[in-house]
């Protein structure tokens, strides 16, 4: 028996079956052997190796074959086999047939008869038979096998074999099976019995248990493999019973030693736990509790842990033992939570154990500290449960994190940040609130967001520059160098977080030493790198190999690839030897003292080494450039040199620019990456710095793929203060945009404007950029000192300022500060050319420096800018700058290099531009002086292509001198010769055309004849008629025609007409056609004449379709076409006077500026060309007279704005004297209008204009006429004169023409030819009828001489006419016509209620009208007037008949307010109040009729006490409720006609004639009789009743309704009966407000609902009207 096992079982000895098995094996092998000679089978007589004395069958044969050896060996005694199977030599698993065969084989071999010499043969034979007899029977064999297996087992327990046990074994034992035993504790035998069947089913073996007084035994019967499984299962079962092993359906809770005292309490509650959670719980040992079954075992464990203060451990069936933290972690992994997690924080041991358990590593596997374990847990892919999260962030871990340096703690911080971003896990607040964790946690979203684009791009660029594209991993140790690009990127990141913290906060600058931590850099860079970069926290960085760029196709010989040209960067301007020497000395001086002298020889060697020259530089060469070098002699032969202050300044500026260029490249690289990631509709990142904004703006101007709003957003951000103030100062902006300069920013803005069609840039931002550019043009001594910008930068700034949108600021901004860039640039030019102490040539003009070309370009840009903005600024500094420049050119003409073609061309352009538009004589003189000096240099130049002279430079020079007054023939000859030497293959179409245009403009086109004939010989003109780019195709045709004419290439002229007539998208411009006609005007060649005629026809056709051709084109066309071709000129007149152009004149109600501009557009070209257009003249004259009448200029006594006189004079001066002579009505109307206005002072401009206009209006002889127009005018005169009436109205004339069949045909003809304004055109042209802009046409001639004479008399007092006074005043006036009644066309409204005729006698206190200088008007108007009602809140007066019979027509004096316009306001004489006919008007708005201010000296004497009153009546006004019907109009008169524009007009009374007899006055009917009532008393009673009624409407607020008193008096005369008439009687079911006439509310302007209700209630109570 073996020793006792811990689980209470004992293992038996293995010797019970091993000997018999070995013997059987030996016997079987012996029986299977075949004898070689005698045919017998050798068998083992003694069995296994333990029977050494009995040789086997094989050994017997060996003995017989080798007798000698057998004899020599000693005989061994026979030992019988103990086992039957051994005796037969078979296995225990042998079948019956095998046993039988073995028996027969051994019997033959060992039969005594065959082995007579062997004394043991009989015994051996008997043993074999005995074994066979036992094994041949199945029952015996089973009993034998059972006894054989049980004997060692029972021997081990000291008892004999139990028969019952043996019977059970024999019954269950099968062939090949074995029997083994296990000893168990006697206490567990009873618990084993119920589970034996389960064990048998589990391992396919049979179990039988029995026990003694002291032990229990379990027999296991089965195959060996099943016995092994059964033994294992039995051992596990016993372990589960003892608590050593957890059951498969449960677990073991192990109580710690310090918790054993709580075991009784826990055991007492096991039954309650079992009922509550459905589990079987029992105590199996002193410190072990087994819980089985039920899905709620975790809840049982939770309760047990709570009783043990979470100090117990749990053992699982797999043998794994977990403490409380580990068990809670395991349960959460399985999806079980609640009550399992200990409430207290884990200590260091618990945290370590949990982290090791989570990582599935032994606690002692690696000596890792808590921080490293926490990093592994956070970085691994395991699920981060709540217990594990508390363990990795516990106080112990945080304490260790605090003790370590920040660099060592960075991996943990990085791991925490990643987990906080990716998972919703609750960590301890020590880590969640840690500033470094917060920074790293927010840094990723910040980099991914819009604000992090810049940093993201910088990180990407830094990573690309750090790692080569070799496709290999580079370790972090190689990548994260302290001086590497990634370290610089980390510095930029920390700087950004310091200067511009993100808008959401929570991010502080991380530690500086973190740039060398792989985990941190991997976390940051993963948000930055692209697809071509890969990173791994362990391996490092990998950059994929870049694909090879495809080879560019080879360009044909003689041509260059456009793509290749675009890829070549701009080459910086070459430095001269002087500037290289300045740079060398500057570099050497920086190494030493900047003011120290350097050895001349040492400096020379460095200069030669840098420039690569071998020529020796002498001392005289240094002394030649005194502005750069200061040479001193030391000793007898030693010389030293240093830079002058100006030389040092130039070298320093170049050095600064080179440094900035490197920085600009880096910023552009970052901006390119930012621009790719920036979405079109996304806001700009808030973290962009000013240099990055500049770089983005530059890139935005180079591509159209970005949003059109992006440039404006960038500029506004660039020029705004961080807090959103008005803007940054110029000095701050200048420092902020470094390393970029203002010229680059302005160029980018101009490019964006051109690319995006003028985006909406902020004006203040544009002004700030210009102010910064102006400041950058000059240096400052402030700290820090700033040098002025190079000339190239200043030039680019001025060039950009001359383009949109900057040039528009000069028009829009008023402050001079906003426009100081021009003055600053002019000051820079002045400083560049200012005299030096050494009186040496300025650097900008010297041949020894490279500044001449940029300086000349600056001057050209400044001249062009000043040309564009000169109307909006007045800068004398520009004039002074160019004056100084001209003087400098004169003083140092010999120093100006003639080897700088571009510089000379731009300088000539600058002088020509300044002299072409400026009227200052000083400026013109300076321009001519400058051009003369440049011309001297040009004449000494060798203008060859080999010397850098190109056709573009020659064009610029030729154009500059062509526009100036200095047209030097020698210069143009030299330019023509240089042009002819240029190879034709290198000529471009636009350059050739510019050359032709410039020489043609200068008048030296003949000098280009050799060059042009070369082109004609190669058919160049015919080939280049069409522009390949179609940009300037039509505008270039005149220059081509000029070249053809000069080169006598007349054959190409045929192609010109075909080219002009071919189909194209747009029409040929009028200016092009006119220029072609001008080029062909002096040529008599047949083809030229035919082309000219054809082009003229095209001009006329184009003008027929054009509403208004430009004036300058029309003028030029008239000048070139009116000498030779009269037919074309007549056709041109007809086109210019068509109906469309006549109707394009604005209406008379339009503004003066519109009218004047229209007159000027139509008349000026013909006036300048001295050509008459009667129809246009008459149309403009008719519209001018209408405007004078409409705008009230013809009303006497009216105060006019001073601008009215100026506008009238400007409009009148547009007509020629011949036009005035043909339109007498226009002369009369203008003279009358000028007479009504105040005479200007003799020294004013208006006085000169008036004098000039009067001279133009003086009678002259007519030159030309329009036969058709004159015919139409004569027929109109006949229609007006038809009948006995001396005047007719507009509508009647039109009616007379429409009703008659013959006249209607004439009407249609005139209307088709002249348009809707035909009547005003013919009236202005007529000499037999007069018209002054009103609606009445008089059948008598106009009186222009009389009107001029009256105007001249009025102007005598001002002394304006001067010597012309006598000529004007001595004009003989025409005969006076009879005085008609004047038509007032504004009326129809406000007419008073007619009164019955009555006999009225003179009474005291009447209004008296007298003293009228016109007898006819005096007879009609003079007399006594009495008050007769009111109108517009003022009294109406009626005239009393003067004749004895007292029967007169009612003549009223009434007031009209400004409701119809200011022109109708005032007191009027008329037959009816507000009627269409009036006699006289006074514009004074007084309460009573004015005593003076009337026409013809009329006086009104007012007596406020009126003795009598007329019957009460209501004046008809606008908005009346129930207006009485007006009296019928006389049959002889039609309704007031309308003007051509469809509006009623008002006219001032015409002056009466003193020659007419009083009998000629119209008959005046007798006046109506007056009632004998007292008007004042009646009115006072009526008004008192109205006030009482209004106050009664609202008793609480009596004064509330008094606001309507004035309206009720004005509209209803204050009569309550008229107010009662507003009530609607036929709708009793309607509301009170609806029972009032709706027009009543509009008449009194009542809009409030409460007021309407009060009025409706009051009107309902009034008695019926």
């Amino acid at each position: 028996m073996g020793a006792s096992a811990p689980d209470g079982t004992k293992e038996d000895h293995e010797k019970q079956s091993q000997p018999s098995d070995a013997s059987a094996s030996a016997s079987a092998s012996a029986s299977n052997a075949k004898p070689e000679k005698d045919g017998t089978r050798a068998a083992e007589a003694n069995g296994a190796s333990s029977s050494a004395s009995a040789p086997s069958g094989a050994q017997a044969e060996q003995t017989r074959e080798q007798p000698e050896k057998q004899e020599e060996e000693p005989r061994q005694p026979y030992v019988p086999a103990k086992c039957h199977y051994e005796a037969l030599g078979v296995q225990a698993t042998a079948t019956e047939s095998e046993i039988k065969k073995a028996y027969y084989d051994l019997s033959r071999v060992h039969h005594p008869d065959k082995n007579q010499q062997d004394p043991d043969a009989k015994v051996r034979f008997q043993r074999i038979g005995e074994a066979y007899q036992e094994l041949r029977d199945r029952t015996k064999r089973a009993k034998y096998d059972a006894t054989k297996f049980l004997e060692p087992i029972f021997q081990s327990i000291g008892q004999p074999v139990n028969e019952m046990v043996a019977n059970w074994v024999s019954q269950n034992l099968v062939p090949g099976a074995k029997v083994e035993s296990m000893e168990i504790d006697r206490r567990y035998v009873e618990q084993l019995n119920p589970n034996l069947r389960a064990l048998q089913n589990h391992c396919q073996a049979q179990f039988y248990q029995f026990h003694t007084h002291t032990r229990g035994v379990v027999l296991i019967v089965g195959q060996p493999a099943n016995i092994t499984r059964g033994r294992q299962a039995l051992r596990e079962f016993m372990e589960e019973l003892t608590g050593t092993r957890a059951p498969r359906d449960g677990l073991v809770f192990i109580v710690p030693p310090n918790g054993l005292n709580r075991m009784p309490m826990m055991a007492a509650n096991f039954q309650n736990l079992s009922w509550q959670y459905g589990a079987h719980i029992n105590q199996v040992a002193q410190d072990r509790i087994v819980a089985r079954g039920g899905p709620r075992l975790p809840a049982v464990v939770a309760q047990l842990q709570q009783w043990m203060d979470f100090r117990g451990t749990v053992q699982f069936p797999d043998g794994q033992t977990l403490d409380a933290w580990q068990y809670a972690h395991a349960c959460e992994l399985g999806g079980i939570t609640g009550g399992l997690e200990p409430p207290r924080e884990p200590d260091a041991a618990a945290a370590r154990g949990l982290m090791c358990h989570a990582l599935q590593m032994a606690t002692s596997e690696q000596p890792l500290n808590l921080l490293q374990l926490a990093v592994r847990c956070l970085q691994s892919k395991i699920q981060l449960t709540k217990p594990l999260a508390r363990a990795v962030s516990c106080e112990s871990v945080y304490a260790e994190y605090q003790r370590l340096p920040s660099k060592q703690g960075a991996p943990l911080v990085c791991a925490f940040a990643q987990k906080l971003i990716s998972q919703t896990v609750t960590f301890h607040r020590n880590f969640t609130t840690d500033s470094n964790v917060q920074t790293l946690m927010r840094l990723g979203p910040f980099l991914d967001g819009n604000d992090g684009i810049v940093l993201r791009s910088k990180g990407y660029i830094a990573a690309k520059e750090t790692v080569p594209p070799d496709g290999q991993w580079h370790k972090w140790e190689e990548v994260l160098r302290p001086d590497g690009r990634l370290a610089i990127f980390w510095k930029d990141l920390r700087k950004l977080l310091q200067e511009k913290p993100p808008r959401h906060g929570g991010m502080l600058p991380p530690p500086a030493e973190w740039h060398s931590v792989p985990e941190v850099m991997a976390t940051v860079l993963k948000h930055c790198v692209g697809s071509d970069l890969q990173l791994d926290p362990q391996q490092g960085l990998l950059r994929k190999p870049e694909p090879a760029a495809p080879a560019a196709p080879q360009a044909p010989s003689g041509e260059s690839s456009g793509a290749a040209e675009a890829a070549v960067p701009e080459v910086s301007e070459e430095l001269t030897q002087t500037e290289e020497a300045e740079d060398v000395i500057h570099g050497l001086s920086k190494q030493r003292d900047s003011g120290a002298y350097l050895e001349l020889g040492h400096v020379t060697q460095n200069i030669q080494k840098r420039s690569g020259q071998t020529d020796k530089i002498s001392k005289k060469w240094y002394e030649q450039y005194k502005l750069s070098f200061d040479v001193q002699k030391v000793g007898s032969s030693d010389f030293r040199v240093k830079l002058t202050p100006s030389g040092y300044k130039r070298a320093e500026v170049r050095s600064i620019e080179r440094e900035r260029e490197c920085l600009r490249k880096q910023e552009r690289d970052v901006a390119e990456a930012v621009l790719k990631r920036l979405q079109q509709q996304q806001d700009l990142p808030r973290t962009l710095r000013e240099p990055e904004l500049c770089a983005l703006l530059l890139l935005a101007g180079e591509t159209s793929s970005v949003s059109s709003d992006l440039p404006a957003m960038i500029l506004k951000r660039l020029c705004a203060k961080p807090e959103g103030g008005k803007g940054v100062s110029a000095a701050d902006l200048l420092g902020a945009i470094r390393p970029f300069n203002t010229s680059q920013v302005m160029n980018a803005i101009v490019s964006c404007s051109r690319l995006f069609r003028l985006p909406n840039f902020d004006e203040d931002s544009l002004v700030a950029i210009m102010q910064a550019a102006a400041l950058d043009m000059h240096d400052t001594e402030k700290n820090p000192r700033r040098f002025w910008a190079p000339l190239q930068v200043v030039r680019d700034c001025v060039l950009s300022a001359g383009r949109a949108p900057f040039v528009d600021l000069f028009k829009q901004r008023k402050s001079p500060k906003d426009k100081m860039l021009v003055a600053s640039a002019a000051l820079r030019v002045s400083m560049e050319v200012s005299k030096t102490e050494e009186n040496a040539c300025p650097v900008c003009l010297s041949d020894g420096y490279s500044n001449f070309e940029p300086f000349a370009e600056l001057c050209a840009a400044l001249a062009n800018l000043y040309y564009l903005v000169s109307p909006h600024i007045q800068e004398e500094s520009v004039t002074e700058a160019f004056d100084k420049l001209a003087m400098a050119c004169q003083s140092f003409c010999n120093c100006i290099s003639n080897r700088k073609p571009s510089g000379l061309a731009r300088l000539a352009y600058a002088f020509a531009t300044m002299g072409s538009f400026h009227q200052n004589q000083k400026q013109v003189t300076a321009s001519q002086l400058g051009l003369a000096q440049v011309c001297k240099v040009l004449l000494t130049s060798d203008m060859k292509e080999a010397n850098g002279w190109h056709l573009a430079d020659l064009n610029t020079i030729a154009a500059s001198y062509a526009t100036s007054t200095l047209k030097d023939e020698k210069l143009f000859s030299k330019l023509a010769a240089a042009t002819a030497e240029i190879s034709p293959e290198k000529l471009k179409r636009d350059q050739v055309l510019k050359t032709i245009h410039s020489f043609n403009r200068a008048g030296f086109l003949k000098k280009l004849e050799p060059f042009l004939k070369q082109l004609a010989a190669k058919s160049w003109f015919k080939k280049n008629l069409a522009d390949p780019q179609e940009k300037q195709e039509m505008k270039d045709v005149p220059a081509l025609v000029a070249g053809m004419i000069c080169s006598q290439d007349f054959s190409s002229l045929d192609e010109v007409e075909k080219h002009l007539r071919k189909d194209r998208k747009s029409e040929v411009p009028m200016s092009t056609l006119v220029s072609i006609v001008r080029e062909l005007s002096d040529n008599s060649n047949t083809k030229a004449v035919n082309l000219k005629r054809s082009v003229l026809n095209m001009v006329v056709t184009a003008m027929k379709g054009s509403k208004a051709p430009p004036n300058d084109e029309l003028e030029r066309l008239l000048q070139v076409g009116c000498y030779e071709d009269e037919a074309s000129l007549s056709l041109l007149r007809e086109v210019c006077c068509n109906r469309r152009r006549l109707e394009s004149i604005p209406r008379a109600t339009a503004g003066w500026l519109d009218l004047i501009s229209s007159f000027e557009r139509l008349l000026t070209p013909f006036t300048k060309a001295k050509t008459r257009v009667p129809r246009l003249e008459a149309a403009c004259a008719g519209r001018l007279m209408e405007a004078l009448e409409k705008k009230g200029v013809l009303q006497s006594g009216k105060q006019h704005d001073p601008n009215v006189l100026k506008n009238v004079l400007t409009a009148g001066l547009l007509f020629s004297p011949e036009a005035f002579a043909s339109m007498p009505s226009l002369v009369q109307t203008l003279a009358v209008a000028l007479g009504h206005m105040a005479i200007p002072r003799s020294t004013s401009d208006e006085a000169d204009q008036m004098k000039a206009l009067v001279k133009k209006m003086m009678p002259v002889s007519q030159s030309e006429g329009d036969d058709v127009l004159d015919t139409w005018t004569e027929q109109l005169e006949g229609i007006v004169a038809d009948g006995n009436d001396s005047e007719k109205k507009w509508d009647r004339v039109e009616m007379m023409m429409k009703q008659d069949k013959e006249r209607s045909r004439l009407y249609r003809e005139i209307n088709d030819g002249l348009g809707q304004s035909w009547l005003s055109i013919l009236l202005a042209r007529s000499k037999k009828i007069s018209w002054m802009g009103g609606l009445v046409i008089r059948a008598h001639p106009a009186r222009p001489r009389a009107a001029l004479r009256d105007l001249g008399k009025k102007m005598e007092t001002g002394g304006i006419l001067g010597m012309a006074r006598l000529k004007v005043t001595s004009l003989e006036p025409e005969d006076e016509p009879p005085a008609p009644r004047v038509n007032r066309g504004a009326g129809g409204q406000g007419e008073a209620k007619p009164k019955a005729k009555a006999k009225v006698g003179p009474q005291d206190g009447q209004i008296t009208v007298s003293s009228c200088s016109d007898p006819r008007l005096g007879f009609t108007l003079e007399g006594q007037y009495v008050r007769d009602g009111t109108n517009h809140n003022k009294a109406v007066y009626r005239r009393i008949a003067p004749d004895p019979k007292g029967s007169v027509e009612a003549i009223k004096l009434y007031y009209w307010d400004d409701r119809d316009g200011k022109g109708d306001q005032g007191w009027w004489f008329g037959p009816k109040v507000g009627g269409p006919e009036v006699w006289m008007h006074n514009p004074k708005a007084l309460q009573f009729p004015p005593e003076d201010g009337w026409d013809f000296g009329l006086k009104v004497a007012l007596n406020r006490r009126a003795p009598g009153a007329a019957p009460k009546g209501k004046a008809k006004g606008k908005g009346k409720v129930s207006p009485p019907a007006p009296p019928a109009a006389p049959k002889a008169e039609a309704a007031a006609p309308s003007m051509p524009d469809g509006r009623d007009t008002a006219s001032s009374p015409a002056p009466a004639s003193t020659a007419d007899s009083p009998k000629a006055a119209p008959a005046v009917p007798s006046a109506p009789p007056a009632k004998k009532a007292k008007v004042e008393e009646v009115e006072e009673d009526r008004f008192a009743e109205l006030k009482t009624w209004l106050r009664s409407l609202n008793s609480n607020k009596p004064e509330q309704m008094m606001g309507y008193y004035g309206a009720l008096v004005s509209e209803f005369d204050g009569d309550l009966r008229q107010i009662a008439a507003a009530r609607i009687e036929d709708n009793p079911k309607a509301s009170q407000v609806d029972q009032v006439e709706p027009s009543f509310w509009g008449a009194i302007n009542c809009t409030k609902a409460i007021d309407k209700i009060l009025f409706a209630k009051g009107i309902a109570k009034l008695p019926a009207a």
Side-chain angles (χ1 to χ4, degrees), residues 961-1185:
Y961 282 92
T963 56
S964 67
T965 57
L966 183 63
K967 298 179 176 62
D968 192 281
E969 186 174 358
K970 293 182 180 180
L971 176 60
F972 278 92
S973 299
K974 193 176 184 66
L975 293 174
T979 303
E981 292 180 1
I982 298 178
S983 175
E985 289 78 9
K986 297 182 180 180
L987 296 177
K988 295 183 179 180
R989 181 179 184 274
D990 55 342
Q991 294 179 354
V992 174
L993 294 176
K994 289 179 181 178
T995 302
I996 296 174
H997 178 74
S998 299
F999 275 80
N1000 192 20
R1001 184 174 182 178
F1004 297 114
L1005 188 59
K1006 276 293 181 182
K1007 295 187 178 297
L1008 274 181
E1009 186 174 355
F1011 171 69
L1012 297 178
K1013 285 186 176 182
Q1014 293 178 11
L1015 298 179
K1018 296 183 179 182
S1019 301
W1020 187 91
F1021 295 104
K1022 187 181 298 184
K1023 295 178 182 178
N1024 287 274
L1025 266 175
D1027 185 6
Q1029 300 180 353
E1030 297 184 359
K1031 292 182 178 180
Q1032 302 289 334
E1033 183 178 359
M1034 289 295 100
K1035 295 183 179 180
D1036 297 338
V1037 176
L1040 289 168
V1041 172
M1044 295 175 188
I1045 297 298
C1046 183
S1047 62
Q1048 299 180 3
D1049 186 12
F1050 297 110
S1051 61
S1052 299
L1053 292 177
D1054 297 336
E1055 301 295 330
V1056 175
E1057 183 175 358
K1058 296 179 183 178
H1059 179 67
L1060 293 175
R1061 293 187 180 277
K1062 75 175 183 179
D1063 295 334
R1064 52 176 54 86
K1065 295 181 180 179
S1066 58
E1067 298 180 355
V1068 181
M1070 182 71 68
S1071 59
T1072 300
L1073 299 176
V1074 174
S1075 300
I1076 294 174
V1077 173
R1078 185 177 57 186
E1079 298 296 339
L1080 298 170
S1081 60
D1082 297 333
N1083 197 285
S1084 59
N1085 183 272
T1086 305
K1087 293 186 177 182
V1089 173
N1090 293 336
L1091 180 60
K1092 175 185 175 183
R1093 186 178 294 108
S1094 177
V1095 174
L1096 280 173
N1097 292 333
M1098 294 176 65
V1099 170
V1100 174
T1101 304
M1103 292 184 65
K1104 285 182 179 180
S1106 176
K1107 186 175 181 180
N1111 286 355
D1112 53 349
E1113 298 172 5
L1114 183 59
E1115 181 183 347
R1116 284 190 305 221
L1117 189 61
L1118 291 170
Q1119 290 175 351
V1120 300
C1122 64
Y1123 297 109
E1124 302 174 3
D1125 197 345
E1126 185 64 29
S1128 299
L1129 180 60
S1130 300
L1131 184 59
L1132 182 63
R1133 289 175 181 168
E1134 180 180 353
V1135 171
C1136 293
C1137 300
N1138 58 20
R1139 176 175 178 173
R1140 181 183 299 176
R1141 297 204 73 191
L1142 296 179
E1143 290 182 345
S1144 67
I1145 304 174
R1147 296 289 184 182
T1149 56
W1152 279 110
L1153 294 179
D1154 295 336
L1155 288 170
I1156 293 173
S1157 62
S1158 177
F1159 296 164
E1160 184 177 6
R1161 173 174 54 84
L1162 297 173
L1163 299 176
T1164 302
F1166 295 94
T1167 304
K1168 291 185 177 180
K1170 299 181 180 179
T1171 303
R1172 293 286 309 284
V1173 275
R1175 296 191 188 187
L1176 276 182
E1177 295 169 354
C1180 295
R1183 196 53 52 87
L1184 176 59
M1185 289 190 287

Side-chain angles (χ1 to χ4, degrees), residues 733-1022:
L733 179 61
L734 200 59
I737 65 174
R738 298 302 183 203
F740 294 93
N741 49 54
T742 52
S743 67
Q744 293 170 322
V745 177
M746 294 179 71
N747 287 336
I749 295 172
V750 171
S751 300
C752 293
S753 299
R754 183 171 57 252
L755 193 61
F756 298 107
R757 297 182 180 179
L758 294 176
N760 189 19
F761 284 116
D762 181 56
E763 283 190 12
D764 294 334
S765 301
L766 295 174
V767 169
I769 292 293
M770 285 208 304
Q771 291 176 351
L775 187 64
D776 198 22
M777 295 178 184
H778 306 279
D779 51 8
T780 178
E781 298 296 334
K782 294 182 180 180
N783 190 17
R785 183 181 179 185
R786 188 190 71 253
F787 292 103
W788 63 12
L791 280 173
Q792 293 85 347
V793 175
V794 180
R795 171 201 63 195
D796 293 342
C797 289
V798 179
L799 282 172
S800 300
R803 299 167 185 163
F806 292 103
V807 70
D808 300 331
L809 295 177
F810 293 93
K811 305 175 185 178
Q812 300 167 0
R813 309 290 283 203
K814 303 299 181 182
S815 175
K817 185 180 179 181
D818 298 342
K819 309 174 185 179
M820 67 179 183
L821 184 138
V822 177
S824 182
L827 181 60
R828 178 64 181 268
V829 172
S830 300
M831 295 178 65
E832 291 286 347
V833 299
S834 59
K835 292 184 179 181
T836 60
E837 297 180 358
E838 296 82 2
N839 199 20
C841 177
V843 172
C844 61
L845 300 178
S846 176
D847 192 20
Y849 301 88
S850 61
N851 289 350
F852 176 63
E853 288 188 351
F855 175 75
E857 292 169 355
L858 167 62
C859 295
L862 178 60
N864 181 66
L865 176 61
Y866 190 59
Y867 178 82
L868 296 174
V869 303
S870 58
H872 312 288
I873 62 173
Q874 295 295 331
E875 283 293 342
E876 292 297 330
S877 58
V878 179
T879 304
E880 296 176 0
F882 277 91
D883 186 30
K884 288 184 178 181
L885 176 60
M887 297 298 294
C889 291
Q890 183 182 25
S891 302
F892 305 101
C893 182
N894 298 330
C895 298
I896 301 177
S897 175
N898 56 7
R899 293 174 295 179
K900 304 287 185 181
S902 177
L904 292 172
R906 304 312 295 174
L907 197 59
Y909 171 82
F911 281 120
T913 303
M914 290 300 295
S916 62
F917 72 95
H918 209 293
Q919 302 301 324
N920 190 344
Q921 186 60 35
K922 180 180 179 181
Q923 181 59 47
V924 173
T925 303
S927 174
Q928 293 178 351
L929 178 60
L931 287 173
Q933 304 308 314
V934 175
C935 182
K936 291 180 182 180
V937 179
L938 291 172
L939 291 175
T940 61
S941 301
D942 188 8
M943 297 182 181
K944 292 183 179 180
E945 192 174 3
N947 296 332
W949 286 87
H950 304 288
L951 188 57
D953 300 325
L954 300 177
N955 285 337
T956 303
I957 295 172
S960 300
Y961 282 92
T963 56
S964 67
T965 57
L966 183 63
K967 298 179 176 62
D968 192 281
E969 186 174 358
K970 293 182 180 180
L971 176 60
F972 278 92
S973 299
K974 193 176 184 66
L975 293 174
T979 303
E981 292 180 1
I982 298 178
S983 175
E985 289 78 9
K986 297 182 180 180
L987 296 177
K988 295 183 179 180
R989 181 179 184 274
D990 55 342
Q991 294 179 354
V992 174
L993 294 176
K994 289 179 181 178
T995 302
I996 296 174
H997 178 74
S998 299
F999 275 80
N1000 192 20
R1001 184 174 182 178
F1004 297 114
L1005 188 59
K1006 276 293 181 182
K1007 295 187 178 297
L1008 274 181
E1009 186 174 355
F1011 171 69
L1012 297 178
K1013 285 186 176 182
Q1014 293 178 11
L1015 298 179
K1018 296 183 179 182
S1019 301
W1020 187 91
F1021 295 104
K1022 187 181 298 184

Side-chain angles (χ1 to χ4, degrees), residues 630-654:
D630 182 10
V631 182
Q632 274 195 357
K633 185 176 181 181
V634 179
S636 58
S637 60
D638 190 13
F639 291 92
R640 296 184 179 273
V641 65
K642 74 171 183 178
L643 290 176
T644 61
S646 60
Y648 187 88
K649 177 180 177 181
R650 288 189 295 272
E652 181 69 16
V653 169
R654 286 192 295 270

